[in-house]
Amino acid sequence: MTISDNQGSTAAAAVQIQPPSRMALPDFLQSVKLKYVKLGYHYLISNLFTFCFVPLIFVTLIHFSQTDIDDLHHVWLHLQYNIISILTCSAFIVFGLTVFILTRPRPVYLVDFACYRPADRFKAPFCSFMEHSRLTGDFDESSLEFQRKILLRSGLGEETYVPEAMLYIPPRSSMVTARAEAEEVMFGALDSLFQNTNLKPKAIGILVVNCSLFNPTPSLSAMIVNKYKLRGNIKSFNLGGMGCSAGVIAIDLAKDLLQVHRNTYAVVVSTENITQNWYFGNKKSMLIPNCLFRVGGSAVLLSNKSADRRRAKYRLVHVVRTNRAADDKAFRCVYQEQDGAGKTGVSLSKDLMAIAGSALKTNITTLGPLVLPISEQLLFFATLVMRKLFKADVKPYIPDFKLAFDHFCIHAGGRAVIDELEKNLQLLPVHVEASRMTLHRFGNTSSSSIWYELAYIEAKGRMRRGNRLWQIAFGSGFKCNSAVWEALHNVKSSPNGPWEDCIDKYPVEVPLIAQQHIS
């Protein structure tokens, strides 16, 4: 308790007669924080419509309670004399409802998904990775030291996986080994998905596969059709060169197809192939993917059947896509090319984070009005008017996306990406835990990383009915894509999940390494 100096001798007496602290009420002026005021404002605005209708409902109930038999008889006679008008209005209502039901978007359900878990013999601890890189003889000392620094700052752990072809000296980078990696990853994820859902492959009507850097002939989607003997009239698509955000693009494509084709299943397979895309040169900007990208893949089962709502995990709410390829810098910030020695790799621009931030800003500007509560939209609009119309010196209002989403799956592209989104979206550590732990345990698995993150949330038992999930992915082009899902019930982790035998070990403390300049 604070006592002012001008209270004189009464101060000691006041202290002596003060009741025990456990009995005293708190100083409300000091204890009420802005966040609680904001939550109260959010609750009031969000339920304003309900609050306004409560008096009307109350008055209506009083009126009906005073209605007698004569009043009802009078209403019946009135209806009899206006039967034509009533039938006409009824016909218009029935017609309108029919058109609405036939034209409204069909709900798309996520029945289940599976992530590929490689065998332990494919693990790549830091020491083994560096020793292997040295023994290949392709890297000079400067490049080896550069890779070592990147690994230490990457956020990756000691248990990430590389393809089998990279375990040999020299690495066996061929079409045969690249196909073997693709089959191992895709078929591994699909086998788990079919086992968990008891789905017969013949029931699949739509298949979408995305892999950026490996696109053989026949295609990866054709490999799946051949393996599982899918039906001849299946709608099959193969997306290539679309980067780490292609998983959300594939979901969007499957969603659009499910709006056209009734009562069918769609399977989306997301992966990346490393075998033929490892860089064996000494250009620093092209060495970074070697240190970040690791083996991974996912298979997602979608349905538009109303009967699947009961067993489905999630309902797709929104997909928002942003493409900045019209801008030259954005187009070239993630670029596959050859270095001066003719060795192929993917070059990452120094402007990557700035371009990603600009793409994210555009994406959330579109997404915000779809998902944010009206309270946040009013605050944002009021701040915008003050700054633009009245030229007031006020800070731009950053909407609180924690009021719109319960869980966040940020593409595990690297530690810097996760750090920046945590800071700029004002998220809590628990909101980015799934992304950090996925990066630590599996590395950057490209377009499938957001599914490893969702599997982490499920394995922790955090997904409750009605929770909303935001998947954010970035990719070459440059693209930023978002998918919003709603949990249909309390979701449990599916059998044979990627975290099944290790979830109790997480979260782990990832050491913070000083971010020095990398030349």
Side-chain angles (χ1 to χ4, degrees), residues 448-463:
S448 64
S449 69
I450 54 178
W451 298 106
Y452 285 89
E453 294 164 16
L454 181 53
Y456 179 91
I457 296 171
E458 291 183 358
K460 282 292 184 181
R462 297 174 181 172
M463 189 64 70

Side-chain angles (χ1 to χ4, degrees), residues 112-124:
D112 205 349
F113 68 96
C115 297
Y116 171 67
R117 170 75 178 270
D120 288 345
R121 62 192 178 93
F122 298 137
K123 287 182 179 179

Side-chain angles (χ1 to χ4, degrees), residues 277-294:
N277 296 288
W278 202 266
Y279 176 62
F280 294 101
N282 292 289
K283 187 176 179 180
K284 301 294 176 59
S285 63
M286 299 172 76
L287 282 168
I288 298 175
N290 286 9
C291 303
L292 296 178
F293 283 88
R294 295 294 184 265

Side-chain angles (χ1 to χ4, degrees), residues 122-129 150-162 291-294 415 435-444 499 506 508-511:
F122 298 137
K123 287 182 179 179
F126 288 179
C127 59
S128 299
F129 179 92
I150 292 294
L151 280 174
L152 291 176
R153 302 167 188 171
S154 64
L156 273 67
E158 298 279 355
E159 297 185 289
T160 59
Y161 304 92
V162 294
C291 303
L292 296 178
F293 283 88
R294 295 294 184 265
R415 170 180 267 169
S435 300
R436 291 194 190 281
M437 294 307 103
T438 295
L439 181 64
H440 181 271
R441 179 63 183 84
F442 295 98
N444 181 350
W499 302 91
Y506 290 89
V508 299
E509 190 69 26
V510 180

Side-chain angles (χ1 to χ4, degrees), residues 139-216:
F139 307 105
D140 58 30
E141 288 300 321
S142 175
S143 295
L144 290 171
E145 178 62 16
F146 179 83
Q147 291 183 77
R148 186 189 67 82
K149 290 181 178 179
I150 292 294
L151 280 174
L152 291 176
R153 302 167 188 171
S154 64
L156 273 67
E158 298 279 355
E159 297 185 289
T160 59
Y161 304 92
V162 294
E164 184 177 11
M166 307 311 299
L167 300 177
Y168 296 94
I169 302 293
R172 299 178 179 177
S173 181
S174 66
M175 179 63 74
V176 173
T177 54
R179 281 185 179 274
E181 179 193 346
E183 291 174 355
E184 176 71 22
V185 174
M186 295 191 304
F187 298 164
L190 285 167
D191 287 344
S192 295
L193 180 68
F194 293 149
Q195 181 180 350
N196 293 340
T197 58
N198 295 318
L199 180 72
K200 295 180 179 179
K202 290 285 187 181
I204 300 172
I206 299 166
L207 174 65
V208 183
V209 180
N210 69 268
C211 181
S212 291
L213 297 175
F214 181 61
N215 293 284

Side-chain angles (χ1 to χ4, degrees), residues 1 15 17-27:
M1 184 177 71
V15 171
I17 63 173
Q18 180 181 352
S21 59
R22 60 186 176 87
M23 298 293 292
L25 292 173
D27 184 348

